Amino acid sequence: MDAQSRGRADDIDPADQWVLNPHTGNYELRLDQSAGESPVAARTATAEDSGRRGDTGTGAPRDGREGSGRRGTNSPEVPGQRSRRASQSGGRGAEATATAGRRKRKAPKARRKKALMWTGGVTAFLVATTAVGAYILYEKLNGNIDAIDIGDQGNKNVVSDGPMNILIIGTDKRTGKGNEGYGDKGSAGHADTTILFHVSEDRTNATAMSIPRDLKTEIPECETKGSDGASTTIPGTPDERFNTSLGQSGRNPGCTMKTVENITGVKPDHFMMVDFNAVKELTTAVGGVEVCMAKPIDDPKSHLKLKQGKSKVEGEMALALLRTRHSFGNESDLDRIKVQQQFLASMIREMKSSDTLTNPKKLYTLADAATNALTVDTAIGDAKKLMTLAQEIGKVDTKNITFLTMPVIDNPAEPKPITVVVDPVKGEQLFAMLRSDTSLTEVKQKEKAAKGKQAALLKGPKAAPADVRVDVLNGGEIAGAAGATVTWLQNQQGVLKSTNKANAPEKIKKTTLEYAPNQADQARALAEMMGLPASAMKPGTADAEGLEAMVLTLGADFKGAGIPITGPAKIPADVEKSSADKAVCAK
């Protein structure tokens, strides 16, 4: 093979294309286009014809200049050419030609390197672009969220090790185009629709309890913070409608959270608040929410028109459905709550469906709308924290999400009842179940746990109250709880050998009862009086001696003397409930 054939462009070794520019002293990439030769071919021809061209034997050009891509044997070397120069020593053309021939077989390797470099470069670019895109996406979603500082209310951590309680607040505040005709003009937004969403400690179940806006209750004193960080204390008021816990007198969602805790004994960890415009945006982003009507609906006041059976609603129609009072039941707020629960259950099913979760465009639209629609507390006030919270809540199967309404009765103080009050029996039973993290659905994990050794600690003979000996410590939040409990035990339960040991060394979340094996009958008796769950029982390994007493340490779950720590095992039979996995037609 001659030098001409070796000089084809696709056989050129990249190292052969670098030459020294004598004017700059730098190596430059240069191709010899004149005869299709590579610099190697040119040097080979020069070595063979040196005698005919009158070269000096050094390989230098006759005019004494270095250039035109031709270099003498004493030219500075380009990286990658040393081995080639060694084979060309003495200017032997045959050896040079043979060396060039061997170089030709290495050319594909060079091309592979170039291909790898290009592939690696493109991959790096894509990774970098994706990272930048993710950052831009995060910044956009993060910029959508509004957050409110609620001071000492709530939980400063995104998630907690135990149960979680999220207060969902729908306000009647008018924001966004097309909402001018809704709500009270100039209203700061009241707690129009409120749901306490309780997620169990093991994340197997959840309870969504609606709180009627017309519930008469005490609104406790609360503290708010302005944009300048200054605190303002808003006085509490007795016998007020629940919906005034927000907006009225400058109250913020922290005040609503404190009101809910005051009513139920359940402390909300976080709040999420949406207004009219948010309902329209979210339902549109999810592609509509399927609802079912037991009869045709034509409400001139809310402009709601729906056929009998299943329909999909979004935007204005979804908002009209959630606001109407006059199309269902006896046209009360309690009947409207049932429709809202059915709507939310359907929306949860839609959000958790494969059609949503596997559609990137739909997911982004939903994330954008959700972050744009929500106002939250500062502890969850960015996109990453909200995502973490959503993932934690998302662990609950929809079939184990129970919707119900706070048990209430007509307000006995009103001749013609317009408002309601908490049912003193059923309400407290439900609140106790929430406080003790008792599932309202049939969860297999819970049933298995109930059959274990811990539950067996509550079974067996019980000592007489006069034989129960216990020291009581306060490790909870209520001042004087140990003394109040001892007074109740002695005066109401006949446990005369009970002693107030004041405060525990540290605060604890859950009440515990420590006892010796030979005090098991006393422990079971006290557990029954106090309404202690099986998880509170902490048996020791060595028997007690003499007059040694058991140790009862009250935790944050203790709500007052005589109030059971745990609620009943089942919800009262006549309290209506529904499951998020089942579609129900509104009546």
Side-chain angles (χ1 to χ4, degrees):
M1 186 178 292
D2 60 15
Q4 291 290 342
S5 65
R6 290 196 308 273
R8 289 197 307 270
D10 59 344
D11 290 333
I12 296 172
D13 191 322
D16 289 333
Q17 301 176 32
W18 290 92
V19 297
L20 180 68
N21 186 332
H23 302 293
T24 63
N26 297 324
Y27 285 100
E28 297 176 357
L29 183 63
R30 188 175 299 172
L31 297 175
D32 189 344
Q33 303 288 345
S34 61
E37 292 183 342
S38 71
V40 176
R43 288 196 301 274
T44 303
T46 300
E48 291 174 339
D49 298 337
S50 59
R52 292 191 300 274
R53 287 163 46 182
D55 285 348
T56 63
T58 62
R62 284 175 294 176
D63 59 5
R65 293 174 297 161
E66 292 181 337
S68 302
R70 297 188 294 272
R71 297 188 298 276
T73 57
N74 59 350
S75 299
E77 292 184 350
V78 178
Q81 291 183 334
R82 273 194 196 90
S83 61
R84 202 160 46 246
R85 291 289 165 80
S87 67
Q88 292 175 347
S89 61
R92 291 184 295 235
E95 290 180 5
T97 303
T99 302
R102 287 194 298 273
R103 283 198 307 273
K104 179 182 175 183
R105 289 191 295 272
K106 294 183 180 179
K109 182 177 179 181
R111 289 197 298 273
R112 286 195 301 272
K113 286 183 178 178
K114 291 173 72 176
L116 287 171
M117 284 189 290
W118 274 106
T119 305
V122 171
T123 302
F125 174 75
L126 289 174
V127 170
T129 304
T130 302
V132 171
Y135 174 76
I136 292 172
L137 176 61
Y138 166 72
E139 286 298 307
K140 180 177 187 323
L141 295 178
N142 211 38
N144 288 345
I145 303 169
D146 290 328
I148 294 177
D149 187 344
I150 53 174
D152 60 354
Q153 290 300 305
N155 190 340
K156 302 312 174 187
N157 298 320
V158 178
V159 297
S160 59
D161 294 333
M164 292 193 308
N165 298 291
I166 315 297
L167 195 64
I168 302 169
I169 306 171
T171 79
D172 55 1
K173 184 177 181 180
R174 303 183 303 175
T175 63
K177 186 178 180 181
N179 296 323
E180 295 82 2
Y182 299 136
D184 298 328
K185 187 174 181 180
S187 170
H190 298 113
D192 195 57
T193 300
T194 307
I195 296 174
L196 178 61
F197 195 79
H198 171 87
V199 182
S200 69
E201 181 174 2
D202 59 11
R203 310 303 189 241
T204 63
N205 63 93
T207 300
M209 184 183 72
S210 296
I211 303 174
R213 55 166 292 168
D214 295 327
L215 175 75
K216 273 295 188 81
T217 188
E218 177 190 1
I219 310 295
E221 178 184 285
C222 61
E223 187 178 275
T224 63
K225 283 193 174 183
S227 57
D228 58 354
S231 296
T232 302
T233 299
I234 302 173
T237 52
D239 202 30
E240 287 271 7
R241 289 190 190 225
F242 173 80
N243 68 333
T244 62
S245 64
L246 177 69
Q248 195 85 5
S249 305
R251 296 186 179 107
N252 67 14
C255 298
T256 307
M257 293 170 75
K258 193 168 184 178
T259 303
V260 170
E261 182 181 4
N262 191 55
I263 296 169
T264 66
V266 178
K267 184 174 183 178
D269 295 294
H270 304 289
F271 82 85
M272 295 181 180
M273 184 168 65
V274 296
D275 57 23
F276 289 159
N277 209 50
V279 171
K280 295 194 290 187
E281 290 177 358
L282 284 170
T283 54
T284 301
V286 81
V289 177
E290 187 177 86
V291 295
C292 182
M293 300 294 113
K295 61 182 180 179
I297 303 297
D298 187 358
D299 182 3
K301 293 187 177 181
S302 66
H303 308 293
L304 177 65
K305 289 186 178 182
L306 290 173
K307 65 180 182 180
Q308 183 176 352
K310 294 180 179 179
S311 303
K312 268 205 169 185
V313 295
E314 62 180 271
E316 290 286 351
M317 191 64 73
L319 181 58
L321 174 64
L322 294 178
R323 297 195 69 247
T324 185
R325 278 175 178 251
H326 306 288
S327 300
F328 306 104
N330 60 6
E331 301 186 10
S332 71
D333 184 52
L334 297 179
D335 287 301
R336 179 173 67 169
I337 284 174
K338 293 178 184 177
V339 176
Q340 291 171 347
Q341 291 171 352
Q342 293 160 12
F343 177 88
L344 287 173
S346 181
M347 192 168 185
I348 288 172
R349 292 195 298 272
E350 181 62 37
M351 287 181 174
K352 297 187 76 169
S353 71
S354 58
D355 288 345
T356 299
L357 296 177
T358 60
N359 187 326
K361 183 178 180 181
K362 199 170 185 179
L363 276 175
Y364 167 73
T365 303
L366 182 58
D368 187 38
T371 50
N372 218 0
L374 289 174
T375 299
V376 299
D377 55 283
T378 51
I380 55 172
D382 70 49
K384 287 181 181 177
K385 291 177 180 178
L386 271 178
M387 184 181 295
T388 299
L389 184 61
Q391 289 172 338
E392 196 73 8
I393 296 172
K395 294 177 182 178
V396 182
D397 194 315
T398 51
K399 70 180 181 181
N400 293 326
I401 300 176
T402 301
F403 284 90
L404 48 73
T405 303
M406 177 185 288
V408 294
I409 58 174
D410 288 338
N411 188 350
E414 296 173 344
K416 185 178 180 180
I418 298 174
T419 61
V420 293
V421 295
V422 175
D423 186 309
V425 177
K426 297 173 188 173
E428 182 50 46
Q429 288 178 335
L430 177 59
F431 303 157
M433 291 182 75
L434 293 176
R435 291 193 299 264
S436 62
D437 196 25
T438 302
S439 173
L440 273 62
T441 60
E442 295 296 327
V443 182
K444 291 182 180 179
Q445 292 91 326
K446 291 274 186 179
E447 292 173 349
K448 289 179 182 178
K451 297 175 183 178
K453 293 182 178 179
Q454 194 68 23
L457 296 175
L458 295 176
K459 297 178 181 179
K462 300 175 181 66
D467 294 329
V468 174
R469 189 182 299 274
V470 61
D471 291 339
V472 183
L473 292 85
N474 183 14
E477 306 294 333
I478 302 174
T485 298
V486 168
T487 299
W488 176 79
L489 285 172
Q490 292 179 349
N491 296 339
Q492 303 295 323
Q493 302 298 316
V495 182
L496 301 179
K497 299 171 184 175
S498 52
T499 307
N500 175 13
K501 292 294 184 177
N503 292 330
E506 59 183 4
K507 300 287 186 180
I508 60 173
K509 288 184 177 181
K510 295 185 177 181
T511 297
T512 61
L513 176 60
E514 300 172 75
Y515 59 96
N518 61 344
Q519 295 173 324
D521 57 342
Q522 298 181 50
R524 287 190 286 266
L526 186 63
E528 185 175 63
M529 298 175 202
M530 299 281 299
L532 297 179
S535 59
M537 309 295 278
K538 306 296 179 185
T541 56
D543 282 347
E545 298 181 359
L547 302 178
E548 187 177 348
M550 300 183 294
V551 178
L552 174 68
T553 306
L554 305 175
D557 56 352
F558 175 80
K559 301 306 172 186
I563 299 176
I565 301 295
T566 186
K570 292 185 178 181
I571 189 172
D574 53 351
V575 174
E576 284 189 56
K577 65 175 183 176
S578 61
S579 174
D581 69 322
K582 296 177 182 177
V584 180
C585 291
K587 298 178 181 180

